[in-house]
Amino acid sequence: MNNTAKPDMEVTPTKRIAAIQEKIKAAAERAGRDAGEVKLIAVSKVFTADHIAPVIAAGQRMFGENRVQEALGKWPELKERTPDVELHLIGPLQSNKARDAVELFDVIHTIDRPKIARTIAGEIERTGRNPRLLVQVNTGEEEQKAGMLPADTDEFVRQCRNEFGLTIEGLMCIPPVDEEPSLHFALLNKLAARNGLRELSMGMSADYENAVALGATYVRVGTAIFGQRG
Ligand SMILES: *Cc1c(COP(=O)(O)O)cnc(C)c1O
């Protein structure tokens, strides 16, 4: 793990974001990529509106949450104050939370099974809202982890498009904690390319530079911005 995962608590989240943006830019340039293609999502799960508001005030606009219920408790008011904030759902989605998710989130990274895809399609039709959608892939084929298996991903993306009428913009993964993430990032990149998908949501505090080198367009960084979640 590199030291970006252990933030200096004397430094504000805003300063840390600036430092992370610099590292993203450098990683993109090293890889011959346009740094403008990489978007930083500040993962604010567990932190309260009081922690988040100064980060919004400093100019950060993309935030990630992993629980619909928790997000409902803090984001409607924050979004009302700053309507151009873009909220990303990066945690597992249950059917009974699909309605709230479609109403609150601008991007959902965790479409991972036909049942949820069908339910989300119904909510999009009902509400007229149109969150951008990514499919989560369980690249490590871990029993306990959400996501489509790599071998089933092509067919699922096709099904989302053809059967449910959903526009899928990209793929997302969370590599196993005890494995070299690069192999998972490379696999996700390959799956996205062969399905004509342009967004790649991959990379967290400990490995976002690595993810940028392998094509990430969204990195999801929590601890390195807000500190340990305790
Ligand atoms: C919490 C979380 C992150 C952020 O992880 P850090 O290691 O704190 O940067 C990224 N992605 C998902 C899906 C998460 O749940």
Side-chain angles (χ1 to χ4, degrees):
M1 217 186 250
N2 65 37
N3 61 12
T4 55
K6 295 200 191 83
D8 173 356
M9 296 311 293
E10 299 297 307
V11 178
T12 62
T14 302
K15 290 226 178 82
R16 289 191 210 123
I17 286 174
I20 291 165
Q21 292 284 21
E22 282 304 309
K23 289 188 179 171
I24 289 172
K25 186 157 172 274
E29 280 166 6
R30 280 195 302 275
R33 298 186 60 205
D34 173 2
E37 289 174 1
V38 188
K39 302 165 288 276
L40 172 62
I41 301 172
V43 177
S44 51
K45 65 187 185 197
V46 178
F47 289 92
T48 64
D50 289 346
H51 285 94
I52 300 166
V55 181
I56 298 175
Q60 175 67 24
R61 285 296 176 271
M62 291 186 197
F63 290 85
E65 291 283 342
N66 71 335
R67 289 164 177 269
V68 176
Q69 201 62 35
E70 181 190 336
L72 276 172
K74 55 190 175 183
W75 279 101
E77 204 185 319
L78 288 166
K79 279 184 96 173
E80 202 171 286
R81 273 189 263 159
T82 313
D84 64 336
V85 155
E86 191 175 278
L87 197 57
H88 293 248
L89 179 62
I90 60 171
L93 185 51
Q94 306 302 322
S95 292
N96 64 358
K97 294 287 190 322
R99 176 163 298 188
D100 288 332
V102 166
E103 281 174 353
L104 182 62
F105 287 92
D106 301 293
V107 187
I108 297 174
H109 293 230
T110 49
I111 303 298
D112 66 351
R113 57 197 189 279
K115 181 167 184 249
I116 205 71
R118 184 185 289 111
T119 306
I120 290 287
E123 292 303 330
I124 286 173
E125 175 133 331
R126 195 187 63 82
T127 59
R129 274 188 54 86
N130 212 352
R132 294 172 352 243
L133 305 173
L134 285 77
V135 164
Q136 181 175 357
V137 182
N138 185 357
T139 56
E141 308 193 19
E142 294 173 281
E143 197 92 36
Q144 79 286 4
K145 200 166 270 176
M148 246 318 126
L149 292 175
D152 299 334
T153 297
D154 298 351
E155 179 52 32
F156 182 56
V157 169
R158 235 186 331 269
Q159 185 183 29
C160 284
R161 287 173 174 154
N162 300 342
E163 197 174 316
F164 307 127
L166 295 173
T167 302
I168 301 296
E169 294 197 339
L171 303 178
M172 174 270 212
C173 76
I174 309 169
V177 287
D178 54 353
E179 284 182 30
E180 167 55 43
S182 296
L183 301 172
H184 298 271
F185 297 155
L187 172 59
L188 200 72
N189 191 330
K190 190 176 90 179
L191 291 169
R194 77 178 184 219
N195 284 284
L197 300 170
R198 75 170 183 276
E199 303 289 359
L200 278 174
S201 168
M202 57 192 199
M204 315 193 340
S205 291
D207 55 18
Y208 66 88
E209 289 167 276
N210 205 336
V212 169
L214 290 163
T217 63
Y218 286 116
V219 293
R220 313 177 307 262
V221 179
T223 310
I225 294 173
F226 289 101
Q228 297 292 338
R229 287 179 290 271

